[in-house]
Structure formats: structure tokens, C-alpha cells
Amino acid sequence: MNISEIINPANLVYEKPNVMNDTPMHYCPGCSHGVVHKLIGEIIGDMNMQDKTIAIAPVGCAVFAYQYLDIDWQQAAHGRAPALATAVKRLLPDRLVFTYQGDGDLAAIGTAETIHACNRGENIAIIFINNGIYGMTGGQMAPTTLLGMKSSTSPNGREVPTAGHPLNMTNLLAQLKGVCYVTRQAVHTVAAVKKTKKAIQKAFENSMQNKGTSIVEVVSTCSSGWKMTPADSNDWMVENMFPEFPMGDLKNE
Amino acid sequence: MSNEHNKDNEIKLMKGNEAVAHAAIRCGCDGYFGYPITPQSEIMETLMELEPWKTTGMVVLQAESETASINMVYGAAGCGKKAMTSSSSPGVSLMQEGISYLAGAELPCVIVNVMRGGPGLGTIQPSQADYFQTVKGGGHGDYKMITLAPASVQEMADHTVMAFDLAFKYRTPTMVLADGIIGQMMEKVVLPPYKPRWTEEEIKKNTPWATLGKPADRKPNVINSLRLEAIDMEKLNLTLQARYREIEKNEVLFEEFDCDDAEYIIVAFGVIARICQKVVELGRAEGIKVGLIRPITLFPFPTEKLKKHAERVKGMLSVEMSAGQMVEDVRLAVNGKVPVEFYGRMGGIVPSPDEVLHALKEKLIKA
């Protein structure tokens, strides 16, 4: 195959989603955010929803999510994304409305907004990136930090007497009657990426069908925060994060 | 819409809080988000009773906290919708983060604060001690909020409508700063006429920055207050400051009583201005040439007007239900030309006309 054949669109097997622009991402090598962003871009393109989507960006590493996907965005105060999404979806019920939040945003400072939006059964999708650490501020302990896991605010490892147990927010949300779909996924392998794509697509479809709140937790890596190579981070995640945050559907109604 | 609500220009008797609710529906408000707190709970209660979602389509939602309410307002405002919330002092303190974000993201919205005594949980009795928080910017960063100070139930209705107009004219959060008396007292009121809510086409035209979904023919709209580069952040601040100067130039509102020949001027806002009208009456009966200026907008403040009066009066008295907050702005306006004294009560106590007159004599006339 010569070069002109290779770049012939008919022969393309993979391309950047149209919804994604060319802005270089600020994410670290090995970070899960980039993959999840790409999946969201693909799904919005596949669903032909670019002109009907309003996304809510968090505070945390994904604060700049609005730079990479060519859709309308609102950037929320830390933890408040579900409150914004509630109002947007109530006032524009025919739109696809989703929040994109990290563990500090969703499971610490935004706990009340998250639980109550889910409990009201707001017809929104929540994409929850759980890497067990505050990446943006430099690697502090998160509510989902594992016991024994070191961070800049738990330098000797998280201990129960001082910091309590990791908070499993997704399990908690699955208890709520307003929630229709809860799943926990990852993006460390091709198979996992495909499953996560299906999960996000389902969450988006639920939002459009007004079925209630959908939550897709993506157990993620933070190579910089965890101080590991991207490859080691994936292995460490499988070995340590998955037992605490097991993969699979928690609720699918 | 029931017939009852269609009879325009009919005089009704209701509480200030109820008037806010009626006015919101009538002026085409798209969404109200609130959390119960005394002495303003009738606003959300009235809205729930009136069920505007069945008539105008307005959304009314009881949120889990004031933090959530103000962020719901942010979400709605980001879509170019006319959104509002209401609360009383402690709840408004919780909203300060959101208000700063709304200001930073240049979003229009209306916040009604029916003030009660503080600090802390304080009291449910009326107060004006949130003047600083409102006018000087209670949240972080350099921002201002247009502030309307109603002194009657009629103005509770009128200011709600006016607040939306100003908020959208300048893309800024706007506050109606009332107090427990204005919210709770019943007076006659003529409700504003019905205006339909904006259609989506009107929203696109009036607020081209709104997030409604990105069509093929425009770039994404992003509602955002984040500017990581210092030079960009300063640019946003300069834009906001220029807008505040425009507001100061165009939107000052005040009312004067018996100021033409006055030797002494009382400055008071909200319900205290009503009490001070009586003080003027009592003072004049005793031969004291006293007048009253009632700022209707607290930001922008009637600085020029006060400056002018300072050229010829003997002194001014700022009367407030606080430890003395607006008095600082009166002093700044007067700039040392004449003595500016303060009289106030705190903790929910409302001063009587007699005690204000006494304070005027003691602090300005005898001195």
C-alpha cells in the first residue's frame, strides 16, 4: 500500500471523532481522561447530537474539558456540576445533558449535589472519573484514595483512624430510586475501552429517553499522582483499585 | 392561566414575598430554584401554589441547599434563561461562591435577599446588615452586583421585573435587597402585566452566548470564569469594571423628600426610609428643616446626588438596621464636606421615628 492509498479516506480504519478538535491536551501521558474524552466525542458524533448537547465541566484536571470537544459547555464551581445539569435539563428537556466529574468533585465537595440530583432522578448522565487522587492540585488524598495509598496529604499511606475508609460513591448512588443505570468501567485495555463506550452511550440514551439519572464510573489511572509509569499504573489499578471498585453494572433498569 | 391572574391593573393585597412570586411569573421568568428559610419562604410557597409550570412553563424547584440553588441558577442562566433564587441572610452567605462565579461568567440572574439579623444563625427579625456583603461583593474577586432596595410591596413586584431587565442588559447578577418587614408585610399592590417567556429563537437572538447546543454554523459556547493566564484574567476584570462604570453612569435611582430647603438630610433605604419619612414630618413640625434621600439602587449608589447636597446642608444622618454600613458610602460621597453621623439598631430591632428624630438632634443639631 503506497502513501496515497493509505491516506485515502476509504481505507481509514480509525480517525479522530469530528466532535473533537485539534487542541493539544494538557493531560499527562497515561491519563485516562484523554481516552474518555475521545469516547464521548465519538458517541456524540455517532448519535448525531452535537447540536443538542450541553456538557458540564468540573473543577479538577478535567476543568479544561471544554477546550477539546466542540460542544456547548458550562464550567461549574467545584462539585456543583449536577446542580447546573439539573437546571439545564429541566429547562431544555429535549437536550443531552451530562456532567464530567472527578472523585474530589463528585465524591467530596459535591456529595450533596450529586446525591440529590440522582435522588430526584434528573434525566442527566454523570461521567465519574475515579483515580483515587486529586491530580490537578498535585496529588492530595481523595475520598476514594485506597487504604495504605500514599498521597501528598497522606504521605505514610491512608489510615482508617485519621482518614476513614475509601468512599464508594457509585454503590451508594445505586441505592437511589431516581437512578436508572449505574456501571463501573475502565479504559486500560481495548476491550475495556469498548465496554466503556457502550456504557456511556447507554447513559446518554437514557438521558434522551428521560429514564432517570445514569452514572458511569470510570476507574482511572493518574500516572503523575501515583508516581508510576503509564504501564505500571494500569497494572497497579487492576491489582489494587479493582478489588475496592469492582468492574461491572450495579444497576440497569 | 386562571382568570384571576389576567385582570391587570387590579389592586391586590398581599405580602412582599408573595408579590415577588407573582411578579416573577408575570415577567416571563423561566426558572426559580430555592431553599426554605424564614422570613422569605412564602416566595417558593406561593410559586408552588400558583403552579406556573402548568401555565407559562416556568420551572420551580426546591433544591437541597442554597449552594445548589445558586448553581442551578448558574446552569439556567448559562442557557440564556431568566433564572432566579431567593433566600435570607444565612442562605445568601452560602450563595456567595455561586454569585462570584455568576459574575465571573458574566451571567444574568436575579437573587432576592429578604434580610434577617445576624451574624450567624442570628434572628428571623428584619435587618439591613447584609449591605456590605451585597454592595461590596460578598464573594471572592473584584465584582459588583446591581442592587435594588425595595421599600414597599409594590416595589417588591416592580424591582423583581426591573432586576431581570438590568441583569440581562449588563449580563450581571442583580440583587433585590429587601428585609423581613418588606417581605412579610401586606400592602396593596398592582401586579406587573404578563410578558411571555422568551422563545428559543428569542433566546438565541438576545443571548447569543447561551449554551443551547452547538449548531454547525457557530463555535461552541462556553460559560466559564476560568482564565489561567494572568493577562486574560485581567482582561476579563477590565471588561467587568468598564461595565460597572456604565452601570454607575446609567442606572442610579433614588427618591428625595423635602430636600430642597433642607439643612439636614437623612439617608435611608428600604423600610427604614419609610420610617424616616415620618421623622421628616415630625422634624418639620418642630421647625427642623430636614429632608430624606432614599437610595433605590445601592449599587450604583447616588453618590453625585449626595455630593451636591453636601455643598449646602449642615449635616447628614445615615439610618440603618445595622451597625453602620451604608454610612461609609455616604461619607465617601460627602468626602468630609459636612459631618455624616449614623444611627442604627441591630439584631432585628426596628428604630421608631421618635428615636431617629432624637438621634438627629443629639448627633447633628446640638453638636
Side-chain angles (χ1 to χ4, degrees):
Chain A
M1 208 185 261
N2 65 31
I3 184 75
S4 60
E5 284 169 333
I6 291 169
I7 62 166
N8 181 346
N11 292 327
L12 279 178
V13 291
Y14 182 83
E15 63 180 345
K16 179 174 70 71
N18 288 333
V19 175
M20 220 164 184
N21 58 40
D22 290 326
T23 310
M25 285 189 174
H26 72 288
Y27 298 118
C28 307
C31 172
S32 306
H33 276 307
V35 181
V36 181
H37 280 25
K38 186 205 69 173
L39 292 180
I40 291 171
E42 280 179 2
I43 295 162
I44 291 170
D46 292 349
M47 290 173 74
N48 201 20
M49 292 293 288
Q50 194 173 10
D51 62 344
K52 285 212 158 16
T53 302
I54 294 115
I56 317 292
V59 170
C61 283
V63 68
F64 291 118
Y66 57 80
Q67 292 184 346
Y68 310 125
L69 293 170
D70 284 341
I71 49 175
D72 280 357
W73 285 91
Q74 293 193 18
Q75 199 279 314
H78 199 15
R80 318 298 177 219
L84 272 65
T86 294
V88 173
K89 183 68 180 178
R90 293 273 184 128
L91 285 160
L92 300 168
D94 63 337
R95 303 303 206 280
L96 167 61
V97 180
F98 73 91
T99 70
Y100 188 103
Q101 303 174 259
D103 41 71
D105 196 83
L106 178 140
I109 196 165
T111 315
E113 286 78 8
T114 304
I115 288 179
H116 285 278
C118 290
N119 194 51
R120 288 190 301 264
E122 300 295 344
N123 294 308
I124 57 172
I126 295 174
I127 313 298
F128 170 31
I129 304 295
N130 177 11
N131 56 16
I133 204 155
Y134 284 80
M136 185 62 125
T137 43
Q140 293 82 10
M141 181 174 63
T144 51
T145 296
L146 301 178
L147 291 181
M149 190 172 162
K150 287 181 180 175
S151 74
S152 64
T153 52
S154 58
N156 300 315
R158 181 177 188 161
E159 291 174 328
V160 175
T162 50
H165 291 274
L167 176 58
N168 195 323
M169 200 56 180
T170 307
N171 280 41
L172 205 152
L173 297 175
Q175 309 291 314
L176 304 176
K177 287 184 179 145
V179 172
C180 63
Y181 178 52
V182 185
T183 187
R184 196 182 286 115
Q185 303 292 339
V187 290
H188 61 308
T189 64
V190 174
V193 170
K194 283 186 172 166
K195 278 170 98 173
T196 301
K197 182 175 176 181
K198 272 189 191 155
I200 296 174
Q201 176 143 7
K202 186 172 176 57
F204 284 5
E205 284 165 2
N206 287 344
S207 168
M208 292 312 294
Q209 291 161 15
N210 294 339
K211 285 173 76 172
T213 314
S214 299
I215 299 123
V216 179
E217 173 178 347
V218 184
V219 179
S220 299
T221 55
C222 177
S223 306
S224 300
W226 295 359
K227 305 194 191 319
M228 292 175 206
T229 65
D232 287 349
S233 297
N234 273 342
D235 294 343
W236 192 89
M237 175 177 74
V238 173
E239 208 172 301
N240 298 282
M241 295 280 281
F242 285 9
E244 184 73 32
F245 304 109
M247 294 294 103
D249 289 356
L250 286 89
K251 193 175 197 177
N252 189 355
E253 286 173 353
Chain B
M1 246 166 269
S2 72
N3 288 332
E4 189 205 345
H5 301 127
N6 268 337
K7 290 181 205 154
D8 282 338
N9 298 323
E10 188 190 340
I11 295 170
K12 295 191 178 257
L13 180 71
M14 63 173 72
K15 285 188 176 191
N17 289 336
E18 294 166 341
V20 169
H22 283 274
I25 298 170
R26 285 167 171 257
C27 76
C29 178
D30 294 297
Y32 171 95
F33 308 90
Y35 186 82
I37 182 170
T38 309
Q40 62 79 53
S41 294
E42 294 87 354
I43 297 177
M44 184 161 50
E45 287 170 352
T46 304
L47 286 167
M48 290 296 187
E49 186 78 35
L50 292 171
E51 301 183 314
W53 52 92
K54 290 181 179 168
T55 51
T56 70
M58 175 183 173
V59 168
V60 185
L61 198 157
Q62 180 170 339
E64 62 270 27
S65 67
E66 290 88 350
T67 306
S69 318
I70 194 72
N71 282 283
M72 288 172 183
V73 166
Y74 181 108
C79 299
K81 301 283 184 178
K82 289 185 182 170
M84 72 178 292
T85 184
S86 66
S87 190
S88 180
S89 309
V92 177
S93 289
L94 262 181
M95 291 184 186
Q96 294 304 318
E97 173 201 45
I99 294 173
S100 171
Y101 274 72
L102 281 150
E106 301 172 76
L107 290 179
C109 72
V110 173
I111 303 143
V112 179
N113 181 0
V114 182
M115 287 182 280
R116 59 189 250 183
L121 195 51
T123 171
I124 59 171
Q125 305 301 326
S127 167
Q128 295 181 323
D130 301 349
Y131 179 92
F132 280 154
Q133 184 192 58
T134 312
V135 173
K136 308 295 178 188
H140 58 283
D142 279 312
Y143 75 90
K144 289 274 187 186
M145 208 172 6
I146 299 175
T147 306
L148 301 169
S152 62
V153 171
Q154 184 63 55
E155 281 191 341
M156 282 292 259
D158 296 347
H159 286 189
T160 302
V161 180
M162 204 197 301
F164 273 113
D165 293 342
L166 290 166
F168 276 82
K169 184 174 176 188
Y170 294 101
R171 282 185 69 176
T172 182
T174 298
M175 184 167 279
V176 177
L177 190 66
D179 62 72
I181 300 179
I182 302 287
Q184 290 297 328
M185 75 181 181
M186 293 183 90
E187 271 189 321
K188 61 183 184 182
V189 56
V190 177
L191 294 171
Y194 277 102
K195 274 193 285 187
R197 291 169 58 224
W198 282 348
T199 63
E200 209 163 300
E201 286 316 306
E202 285 171 315
I203 291 175
K204 282 178 185 163
K205 192 172 143 274
N206 297 338
T207 60
W209 42 264
T211 57
L212 296 164
K214 187 201 102 64
D217 61 356
R218 71 155 162 82
K219 288 186 172 165
N221 281 343
V222 178
I223 303 298
N224 185 18
S225 59
L226 176 66
R227 305 285 189 281
L228 214 49
E229 296 294 334
I231 194 74
D232 295 334
M233 193 64 227
E234 188 182 53
K235 208 171 137 193
L236 171 63
N237 269 287
L238 290 170
T239 305
L240 293 178
Q241 291 302 320
R243 202 170 293 164
Y244 301 147
R245 299 298 87 76
E246 277 295 300
I247 291 168
E248 283 167 346
K249 205 171 78 190
N250 302 333
E251 308 299 346
V252 176
L253 289 174
F254 57 87
E255 206 176 3
E256 284 180 295
F257 302 93
D258 293 340
C259 283
D260 289 347
D261 66 338
E263 292 178 347
Y264 302 96
I265 282 182
I266 295 173
V267 189
F269 70 95
V271 73
I272 297 303
R274 300 271 293 264
I275 289 165
C276 290
Q277 262 182 277
K278 187 72 187 172
V279 177
V280 170
E281 209 178 286
L282 295 174
R284 293 231 166 218
E286 290 184 24
I288 302 168
K289 287 187 174 174
V290 56
L292 168 68
I293 291 183
R294 172 172 82 96
I296 297 171
T297 52
L298 300 179
F299 174 78
F301 195 67
T303 305
E304 290 306 316
K305 191 74 211 175
L306 291 172
K307 207 168 145 186
K308 231 176 203 174
H309 280 300
E311 298 290 337
R312 38 161 225 89
V313 300
K314 291 180 178 167
M316 295 193 191
L317 181 72
S318 185
V319 184
E320 306 166 50
M321 283 193 288
S322 74
Q325 301 192 9
M326 182 178 69
V327 64
E328 292 191 4
D329 284 333
V330 178
R331 286 191 176 125
L332 279 171
V334 167
N335 201 17
K337 275 264 179 218
V338 291
V340 176
E341 296 293 340
F342 168 75
Y343 183 73
R345 296 297 300 267
M346 290 170 283
I349 294 181
V350 185
S352 71
D354 286 335
E355 66 180 291
V356 175
L357 183 62
H358 180 74
L360 177 76
K361 290 179 192 167
E362 288 294 311
K363 288 169 183 270
L364 279 172
I365 299 171
K366 277 189 189 166

